[in-house]
Amino acid sequence: MDNASTGSEKAREPQTFEDVDKITAAVASGEISETLVVAEGEERTTWFVWLLVACASISGLLFGYDTGVISGALVTIGGDLGPAELSSGQKELITSATTLGALLGGLVAGVLSDVLGRRPVLGIADIIFIGGAIGQAVCHTVWSMIGCRFLIGIGVGIAACVAPLYIQELSPTRLRGRMVVVNVVMITGGQVVAYGIDAAFENLHGGWRWMVGLGAVPAASQALCLLFLPESPRIMIRRNDIEAARATMTKIYAYATPEQIELKVRSLAAAVKLSVEITNSTTFLQRFRLILTDPINRRALIVGCGLQAFQQLCGFNTLMYYSATLFKEIGFNQPTAVGLIVSGTNFIFTLIALKYIDIIGRRKIMLWSAPGMIIGLVLASVAFHFLTKKTGGELVDGTQYSTAWSAIVLVAMIFYVASYATGLGNVPWQQGELFGLEVRGIGTSLATTTNWAGNLLIGATYLSLMDRITPAGAFGFYAGLCLLGWIFCVFCFPETAGLSLEEVRLIFRHGFGIKESERLRRERRALQAQEKAERDCASEKA
């Protein structure tokens, strides 16, 4: 055996590292062991991590594209599906079918990924995306369109649940939030692409078929990419495939020493040891009860589901689904192009979140951005009140409305979207970090289902709400819901930035952990500073 090989074997000898039981005890007691900090050690993010995240985030692109493209399609379908013009009820059914499918897809996705693994489930979502996109492009009746939108929805629900989970479990702790935001950037990017495609094909007869059919292209691309991506190391360890987990860790932490890699694998194995034991000794129903009855899991579930409910009940996705219809009614000649401005704002401000979510923190971003959403919605409500005075408070298609008030509506929507994209559009998708491994699939499924249930409720009632309580009343109502969501964040949402996935669950031991999370983060920063000082001292001596 050559010297390099011998050195590598020696680096993996158990006696050269801290005892695994010591690490396990540290995790169980809530004390952050210095060994855990060392095991996280890496100085640079590798090309492998960025490539992996980019491939996984194609799910986000599909999510954004397939939810955004329907806005322009609804305006241009005309009589292609039978009726001379789609009624409000038919538009709501077509839109809501996607959401209903996503609700069901999200409900099973996390649990299915616990059984099959994260990667195969993303592959299943791609197959569903391809089938749904082609089906939409060739359908000729309203009900076949509704059925294909439902199928697309299942794929969206699966991707929305599993892609962030997969990315979180493969990302270094210090960049975990940012990596998940890459997926959200792709969601908003998908919406921008969708609006661009809508604008390109809106004047072409039957152009809506191209709009919906092109969604098959990125799905096929990701299906090919998945053949070359690894499974989550936590899933590998749970299956007792330590060597495969070590190989993946070596690629993720390419600049770390063999000792650091081994420490990372050992600390991860120790940290998920309890989760593995629970998973192997319980049934699905028992784990489902565990997430509801165990105080730590229940608090995590309340936070995860609460944030996802906030994300939908704020009314944002009604703007994504119906923006072209709304801007057409208030007098814009190119409603799809105006919708592109709104989705472009969403994309740009998501990039801001990409840079700062791990620096500022999830909690602060939420507390600072939510008031901006409230202001934007209140301004829109006031503008709609004065805009529609001459039509009795209702929007009447074909009416010549004040261009000044129409412009104020657009400015209010841009301000609202910018605030949403900075915080609420991103933070809820960090949901996977709230749960222990043994219930992570179940927890993310329930949180994602909450998201789509809220989406279904808002999407199915938006047009009716606009008719019943007027546009001014509808946007004022959404502003009130945003205020309630902000209050929820103030009292229930702890900071998780900078903590490992295994450390996050410790903050829920005694309440919602607003103060506990800050204590743990201070300890981790202190240990990291101590570790850096020791390394610098050792380098000077050398």
Side-chain angles (χ1 to χ4, degrees):
M1 186 178 294
D2 58 50
N3 292 335
S5 177
T6 303
S8 177
E9 289 302 317
K10 285 181 179 178
R12 294 182 182 177
E13 285 296 319
Q15 60 264 32
T16 62
F17 303 101
E18 295 290 329
D19 186 79
V20 175
D21 290 337
K22 179 180 176 182
I23 304 173
T24 307
V27 174
S29 67
E31 299 302 320
I32 301 179
S33 156
E34 184 177 0
T35 309
L36 285 173
V37 178
V38 173
E40 295 282 358
E42 82 287 341
E43 296 179 358
R44 289 174 285 176
T45 304
T46 67
W47 66 267
F48 175 79
V49 173
W50 285 113
L51 182 62
L52 186 152
V53 171
C55 292
S57 294
I58 294 176
S59 291
L61 177 70
L62 288 165
F63 178 176
Y65 185 87
D66 282 307
T67 54
V69 76
I70 197 62
S71 176
L74 288 176
V75 176
T76 58
I77 283 175
D80 289 353
L81 295 179
E85 195 72 33
L86 293 176
S87 66
S88 292
Q90 288 171 328
K91 288 181 179 180
E92 283 184 344
L93 281 174
I94 290 172
T95 304
S96 301
T98 307
T99 310
L100 179 60
L103 188 154
L104 297 177
L107 185 61
V108 302
V111 178
L112 194 63
S113 72
D114 279 347
V115 177
L116 301 179
R118 316 304 190 205
R119 188 181 64 162
V121 175
L122 285 178
I124 292 172
D126 286 329
I127 294 171
I128 294 172
F129 275 125
I130 293 169
I134 294 173
Q136 287 178 98
V138 300
C139 68
H140 291 278
T141 66
V142 172
W143 284 106
S144 62
M145 183 67 172
I146 291 170
C148 290
R149 291 299 297 173
F150 176 77
L151 187 63
I152 282 285
I154 293 175
V156 168
I158 293 173
C161 178
V162 178
L165 188 58
Y166 182 57
I167 292 169
Q168 281 178 325
E169 292 186 343
L170 282 159
S171 300
T173 294
R174 66 185 179 86
L175 290 174
R176 188 178 66 241
R178 187 178 298 179
M179 293 302 183
V180 174
V181 175
V182 170
N183 186 62
V184 183
V185 168
M186 293 292 274
I187 294 174
T188 59
Q191 291 167 342
V192 172
V193 171
Y195 277 98
I197 294 294
D198 287 352
F201 286 97
E202 68 177 338
N203 295 319
L204 177 68
H205 178 69
W208 66 271
R209 298 187 185 277
W210 286 97
M211 297 177 190
V212 295
L214 285 172
V217 176
S221 301
Q222 187 184 47
L224 290 175
C225 290
L226 287 173
L227 297 175
F228 305 98
L229 298 185
E231 185 51 87
S232 160
R234 286 168 174 81
I235 296 296
M236 294 174 183
I237 289 173
R238 199 169 74 181
R239 293 172 177 171
N240 205 30
D241 193 354
I242 303 298
E243 283 303 315
R246 182 181 289 114
T248 300
M249 290 289 193
T250 302
K251 293 179 180 178
I252 294 173
Y253 301 94
Y255 302 106
T257 64
E259 290 83 1
Q260 288 176 323
I261 295 296
E262 186 66 19
L263 282 170
K264 177 65 180 172
V265 174
R266 281 176 169 273
S267 62
L268 182 59
V272 302
K273 181 180 177 182
L274 180 60
S275 297
V276 172
E277 290 174 353
I278 293 173
T279 301
N280 292 339
S281 62
T282 58
T283 64
F284 167 74
L285 289 177
Q286 288 172 326
R287 291 194 298 278
F288 187 84
R289 281 197 296 268
L290 183 65
I291 201 170
L292 299 176
T293 58
D294 178 71
I296 293 176
N297 292 331
R298 186 170 61 245
R299 292 178 191 120
L301 185 65
I302 289 171
V303 173
C305 292
L307 288 174
Q308 290 288 17
F310 182 13
Q311 188 186 74
Q312 290 305 321
L313 296 180
C314 73
F316 174 80
N317 274 330
T318 60
L319 195 61
M320 287 295 100
Y321 294 146
Y322 297 111
S323 60
T325 302
L326 177 65
F327 290 127
K328 180 183 177 184
E329 288 179 338
I330 65 176
F332 287 97
N333 294 326
Q334 298 291 329
T336 303
V338 176
L340 182 59
I341 293 173
V342 173
S343 62
T345 301
N346 189 25
F347 177 74
I348 291 169
F349 280 85
T350 302
L351 292 177
I352 294 175
L354 173 66
K355 179 173 178 60
Y356 291 108
I357 192 166
D358 283 317
I359 299 172
I360 297 176
R362 286 73 150 143
R363 176 178 166 83
K364 286 182 180 177
I365 281 182
M366 286 297 296
L367 296 184
W368 294 348
S369 62
M373 295 170 58
I374 298 170
I375 292 169
L377 287 170
V378 169
L379 179 60
S381 178
V382 172
F384 272 119
H385 172 73
F386 289 102
L387 180 74
T388 59
K389 262 190 170 182
K390 66 179 181 181
T391 53
E394 296 181 356
L395 281 176
V396 179
D397 201 8
T399 303
Q400 191 70 31
Y401 288 109
S402 164
T403 54
W405 284 114
S406 295
I408 292 174
V409 170
L410 178 59
V411 170
M413 290 296 96
I414 290 174
F415 188 76
Y416 163 71
V417 169
S419 301
Y420 171 92
T422 305
L424 192 57
N426 299 283
V427 174
W429 294 114
Q430 308 289 335
Q431 60 190 9
E433 67 187 12
L434 300 171
F435 305 101
L437 183 61
E438 73 276 8
V439 294
R440 190 168 294 152
I442 298 172
T444 53
S445 283
L446 292 175
T448 304
T449 300
T450 301
N451 179 290
W452 291 110
N455 193 323
L456 180 63
L457 177 64
I458 292 294
T461 59
Y462 168 73
L463 295 178
S464 302
L465 196 67
M466 294 275 280
D467 291 338
R468 296 282 178 85
I469 66 173
T470 74
F475 281 86
F477 176 68
Y478 292 144
L481 292 178
C482 281
L483 176 60
L484 293 177
W486 180 76
I487 293 172
F488 172 81
C489 290
V490 170
F491 292 103
C492 298
F493 182 42
E495 185 57 75
T496 57
L499 299 176
S500 73
L501 291 177
E502 285 64 46
E503 290 162 354
V504 168
R505 72 186 307 273
L506 299 174
I507 65 182
F508 293 111
R509 290 175 302 174
H510 308 293
F512 285 99
I514 306 297
K515 294 181 179 178
E516 178 68 5
S517 64
E518 291 302 327
R519 183 187 73 81
L520 289 174
R521 293 176 74 234
R522 282 196 302 271
E523 287 186 11
R524 173 177 267 276
R525 286 194 296 267
L527 289 170
Q528 287 173 330
Q530 180 183 341
E531 177 198 339
K532 184 177 184 300
E534 290 176 354
R535 282 202 308 266
D536 292 343
C537 182
S539 297
E540 289 175 4
K541 289 180 180 179

